[in-house]
Amino acid sequence: GQHVPPHSLLAETDSPYRAPQPVRGQRSEPAFVTHVYAELARVLGVDVEDLARQIVANAETVFDL
């Protein structure tokens, strides 16, 4: 399979219509991205806090925040 390097990874929710699995059925909102982080960390076998920090740093770079 293909590999996305950690410095290239971003995450989002499908707001407002498709909430992540733990809150499926609710109106999705950006704050639910934490559920996306948790699933990505599980699939990648990494610590969710480390992954979240990396994704936030990537977003800051990409969006010049």
Side-chain angles (χ1 to χ4, degrees):
Q2 294 182 339
H3 175 75
V4 177
H7 69 274
S8 296
L9 190 61
L10 295 174
E12 66 175 320
T13 62
D14 291 328
S15 294
Y17 302 109
R18 185 101 166 127
Q21 188 58 41
V23 287
R24 186 68 41 92
Q26 296 181 38
R27 180 180 167 90
S28 191
E29 59 182 69
F32 290 167
V33 77
T34 57
H35 299 295
V36 177
Y37 290 170
E39 182 62 11
L40 279 172
R42 185 191 70 75
V43 168
L44 296 172
V46 299
D47 179 74
V48 70
E49 295 298 325
D50 292 340
L51 179 70
R53 278 190 290 278
Q54 180 67 61
I55 290 172
V56 169
N58 295 348
E60 289 172 343
T61 299
V62 168
F63 298 110
D64 196 28
L65 300 175

